[in-house]
Every structure is written in C-alpha cells, then in structure tokens.
C-alpha cells in the first residue's frame, strides 16, 4: 500500500469513528430529557397496537379510541395551541415486532411518549426498551401483574386483574352461589397465565374449591379434550382466561357438550367480538371492567354518541381506556415544559390525580399503576349489563 493510500485509509477510519461518536452523543434515546423534533409544532405521541392477526379487534378499538380523543383535544384548541399527532405502528401481537416499533418511534420518529403495546407480554418485552431510553410508555390494555413495576417510565391506565378478578368472583358467587369451579386458561400468554393465578387466589380466598384446571394455547380451536375432563370433575361454574376468539370457541364447544354452567371471564371477555362469535353461548358470562357504556354520566354519553357516529358501533372497554389514556396525557402536557422534554413529561404524568375520564375517576399509584373502581358486567341479550 502506498503512503497516500495509508493516509487516506487512516483519515477514513477517523471520520467513521467521529460520526459514530457524534451519533451516540446526539441519540434521542438517552435517559429522560431529549426534546423531540418539531418542539414548536405538533406534539407527537407514538402508538403500538395489535392491528392485524389474532386479537386485532383489541388494537382496532384502541386506535379508534385514541383518534376520537385526539380529535376532541385538537378541536378544543390542542395543548397551548399545539396539536397532538399520533404515529401508529402495528405490532401484529408479536413481542419482537413491538420492540421494533418502540425503537422506531423513539429513534426515528422521535415521539414524546408512547401508548401501547396491546398485550401484557408485548409490554414486558418492549416496556424496558422505552424505560431505558427515558421515554414514557403507557399501556391501555395491559392487565397482568408487574407492568408498572418494569420501570419509572412505564405506566398503564388499565386496571390490573389483581384488582378486578376478586370483585368478579365475589359478585358472581353472591349472585350464583357456586362452591366448585373449573379453571381454564391459555398457558402461552403472559396475561392469561397471570389472570389464572389471580383467579386461583381469589377463588380460594372466598372459599371456592378449584376441582379441575385445564390449559390450552393461543390459536387453539378445539377444546373438546379439556372440556371432557372439566365435565368429569362436576364443577358448578367455570373461570376462563383467554383472548376473545379462543374464549368464544371454548364457550360454544362447552355448550355443545352440555356444560351449561355459569362462566366468569378475564379481561378477554370485555371485547364484544366474543359475543359476536359465541352468540347464545356467551349469554350469562360475567366479567369485571372499569367501563360500562350504559353509565349515567354526561361524559360517557357524549363519548358513546361521538364514537357511534364515527364507527357505527358502541365503544368497548379497550376504546374507552385508550380514549382516557390520551386525555390523561393531554392533562400532563399542560404542565410547563412537559411537551418538549421527556423527563418533565414523565414527572407531570406521574403527578396526575383524580382525572375524570369516561372510565371513572383516575390516579396513578407510586408504580404507575391505576387507582380506580371497577364494576361487574354480565352478557345478557347480546350486550353487557351492569350487575348491581
């Protein structure tokens, strides 16, 4: 190699190293701070949702709730004159896709904060990425244990099933008087496993015997073998933790086997797609929720009417929680400096107390989990009705 070539090679290496150092120093993914691009224009909020594949109805409802909230906030003048824009990514319900989406939103789109992902398992995978980068990530549908405890930048406004299932079991037992229950759940879904553990604890605490436990997997369509074992144990009620599609098929096959018992469901039962698929087989099923579309509240009525006008359907729990999530973020954005600084936004969000949303009065606890009330709903006549 000639002297000139050696010099050129040396200079090229030096230039590459300098660019790498510069890129590292200017990365927007450092902890906290990191004013996003377009600080004087729109406030960009990233969204990661399951918009395709199994469970897509959850994500579609979340997206619709967010878009309804965005338009309400922007229509009222935005945040100090600045509008909110949503940058939406489809995770396909996959943990790795959720991680990729979060990294893109943080590093390429330079959003201020992120809403989502849809499933608890996705949040357990992607939440630490946002937390390490110092970017708020807020789940609107994550109900498994330990979400807020991932880190100081991880929040959720969806009630953990630790809070809801004990209420569901108590109300259901009072109404139906059972003492023997069979438990069925998806064993390859982090949320469903967590939900099943909560069912176990709640049932035992309230003196109900679990006479059979059966598992299956997300995507399964045949539950005959599990239901045969359940029938043999002679329970007086079923407790089921599954996504709406698997839960609906399980209910249909249970009725076909002559298992016409009361059913308590986990959060997957809150999607009306379960009723649409299961039809008569879903009648009588019970589920806990912070959301009830029939609540006598002007804010609820306005939201339901606006949502029906836009999408020709009644908003479900997932739409209502995402609608409130953006409202909660908008409230935090009113704090001076919060719209242009990720760390200040995090602190403003953590300080939210007694926010009045369509799902009720809301505050965060010290770990970023919600503090709010829940009601128990029963499917009757093809819709959800509150159990008094």
């Amino acid at each position: 190699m000639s002297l000139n070539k050696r010099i050129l090679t040396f200079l090229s290496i030096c230039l590459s190293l300098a660019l790498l150092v510069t890129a590292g120093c200017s990365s927007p993914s450092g902890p906290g701070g990191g004013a996003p691009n377009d600080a004087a224009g729109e406030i960009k909020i990233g969204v990661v949702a399951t918009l395709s594949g199994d469970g897509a109805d959850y994500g579609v409802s979340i997206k619709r709730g967010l878009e309804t909230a965005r338009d309400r906030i922007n229509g009222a003048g935005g945040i100090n004159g600045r509008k909110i824009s949503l940058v939406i990514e489809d995770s396909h319900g996959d943990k790795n896709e959720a991680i990729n989406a979060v990294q893109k939103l943080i590093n390429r789109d330079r959003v201020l904060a992120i809403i989502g992902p849809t499933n608890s398992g996705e949040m357990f995978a992607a939440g630490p990425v946002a937390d390490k980068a110092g970017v708020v990530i807020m789940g609107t549908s994550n109900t498994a244990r330990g979400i807020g405890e991932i880190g100081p930048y991880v929040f959720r406004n969806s009630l953990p099933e630790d809070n809801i299932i004990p209420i569901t079991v108590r109300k259901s037992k009072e109404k139906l008087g059972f003492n023997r229950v069979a438990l069925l759940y998806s064993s390859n879904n982090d949320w469903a496993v967590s939900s099943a553990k909560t069912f176990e604890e709640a049932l035992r605490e309230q003196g109900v015997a679990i006479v059979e436990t059966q598992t299956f997997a997300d995507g399964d369509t045949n539950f005959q073998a599990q239901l045969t074992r359940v029938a043999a144990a002679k329970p007086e009620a079923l407790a089921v933790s599954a996504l709406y599609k698997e839960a609906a098929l399980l209910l249909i096959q249970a009725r076909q086997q002559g298992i016409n018992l009361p059913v308590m469901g986990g959060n997957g039962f809150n999607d009306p797609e379960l009723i649409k698929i299961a039809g008569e087989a879903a009648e009588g099923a019970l589920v806990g929720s912070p959301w009830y579309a029939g609540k006598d509240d002007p804010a609820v009525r306005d939201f339901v009417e606006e949502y029906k006008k836009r999408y020709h359907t009644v908003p479900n729990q997932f739409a209502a929680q995402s609608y409130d999530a953006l409202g909660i973020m908008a409230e935090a954005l009113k704090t001076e400096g919060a719209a242009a600084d990720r760390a200040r936004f995090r602190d403003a969000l953590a300080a939210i107390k007694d926010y009045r949303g369509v799902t009720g009065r809301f505050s965060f606890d010290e770990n970023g989990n919600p503090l709010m009330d829940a009601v128990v709903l029963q499917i009757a006549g093809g819709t959800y009705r509150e159990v008094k």
Side-chain angles (χ1 to χ4, degrees), residues 168-188:
T168 306
V169 171
R170 178 173 53 79
K171 279 267 189 182
S172 301
K173 188 184 177 193
E174 287 173 0
K175 183 178 178 68
L176 303 167
F178 53 75
N179 291 300
R180 295 163 55 85
V181 164
L183 175 63
L184 301 103
Y185 66 96
S186 173
S187 60
N188 70 336

Side-chain angles (χ1 to χ4, degrees), residues 41-66:
E42 293 185 337
I43 301 167
K44 291 198 291 187
I45 303 295
V47 179
V48 182
T50 303
L51 298 172
S52 59
D54 288 343
D57 194 67
Y58 298 125
V60 170
S61 298
I62 289 168
K63 177 173 175 286
R64 288 174 171 177
L66 289 170

Side-chain angles (χ1 to χ4, degrees), residues 251-252 255 269 274-276 278-286 379-380:
L251 290 177
I252 292 169
R255 302 322 187 201
F269 277 54
L274 178 133
I275 302 172
K276 187 176 176 182
E280 289 284 327
E283 287 290 300
L286 295 136
I379 298 171

Side-chain angles (χ1 to χ4, degrees), residues 148-228:
E149 289 74 10
I150 292 172
Y153 280 81
V154 181
F155 295 78
R156 62 172 157 184
N157 73 326
S158 43
L159 262 179
E161 296 208 281
D162 282 354
N163 298 62
I164 293 181
I165 285 177
I167 298 170
T168 306
V169 171
R170 178 173 53 79
K171 279 267 189 182
S172 301
K173 188 184 177 193
E174 287 173 0
K175 183 178 178 68
L176 303 167
F178 53 75
N179 291 300
R180 295 163 55 85
V181 164
L183 175 63
L184 301 103
Y185 66 96
S186 173
S187 60
N188 70 336
N189 183 308
D190 293 336
W191 152 75
V193 171
S194 173
S195 171
K197 288 179 181 175
T198 306
F199 262 123
E200 286 178 353
E201 293 169 4
L203 289 164
R204 286 174 179 145
E205 285 172 1
Q206 295 182 45
V208 179
I210 300 173
V211 296
E212 182 62 58
T213 299
Q214 289 290 314
T215 63
F216 47 88
D218 285 358
D220 283 359
T221 58
N222 188 329
F223 306 94
Q224 300 292 347
Q226 292 95 330
L227 290 167
T228 297

Side-chain angles (χ1 to χ4, degrees), residues 151-360:
Y153 280 81
V154 181
F155 295 78
R156 62 172 157 184
N157 73 326
S158 43
L159 262 179
E161 296 208 281
D162 282 354
N163 298 62
I164 293 181
I165 285 177
I167 298 170
T168 306
V169 171
R170 178 173 53 79
K171 279 267 189 182
S172 301
K173 188 184 177 193
E174 287 173 0
K175 183 178 178 68
L176 303 167
F178 53 75
N179 291 300
R180 295 163 55 85
V181 164
L183 175 63
L184 301 103
Y185 66 96
S186 173
S187 60
N188 70 336
N189 183 308
D190 293 336
W191 152 75
V193 171
S194 173
S195 171
K197 288 179 181 175
T198 306
F199 262 123
E200 286 178 353
E201 293 169 4
L203 289 164
R204 286 174 179 145
E205 285 172 1
Q206 295 182 45
V208 179
I210 300 173
V211 296
E212 182 62 58
T213 299
Q214 289 290 314
T215 63
F216 47 88
D218 285 358
D220 283 359
T221 58
N222 188 329
F223 306 94
Q224 300 292 347
Q226 292 95 330
L227 290 167
T228 297
R229 295 188 184 96
V230 164
K234 301 187 183 307
E236 297 167 343
L238 307 181
V240 179
S241 181
L243 299 173
Y244 64 78
K245 184 178 177 183
E246 289 80 359
L249 295 175
L250 188 150
L251 290 177
I252 292 169
Q253 292 169 31
R255 302 322 187 201
Q256 289 171 343
Q257 281 203 23
I259 305 174
N260 296 309
L261 298 172
V263 180
M264 297 171 288
N267 195 40
F269 277 54
N270 276 310
D271 194 305
E273 279 295 299
L274 178 133
I275 302 172
K276 187 176 176 182
I277 298 170
E280 289 284 327
E283 287 290 300
L286 295 136
V287 62
S289 175
W291 165 246
Y292 176 46
K295 188 175 181 180
D296 185 17
D297 181 304
V300 171
R301 286 197 295 272
D302 290 349
F303 170 57
V304 170
E305 286 307 309
E306 175 62 21
Y307 194 93
K308 285 169 66 177
K309 189 166 66 176
R310 295 169 67 114
Y311 305 112
H312 311 294
T313 187
V314 175
N316 61 22
Q317 173 195 280
F318 303 93
Q321 288 181 160
S322 64
Y323 179 85
D324 274 354
L326 195 59
I328 292 167
M329 282 194 170
E331 193 67 23
L333 284 167
K334 294 175 183 175
T335 302
E336 185 177 358
D341 186 288
R342 289 164 168 169
R344 288 187 181 181
F345 177 69
R346 183 262 163 214
D347 292 343
L349 190 67
I352 291 289
K353 299 289 182 191
D354 296 328
Y355 174 83
R356 292 299 301 266
V358 296
T359 57

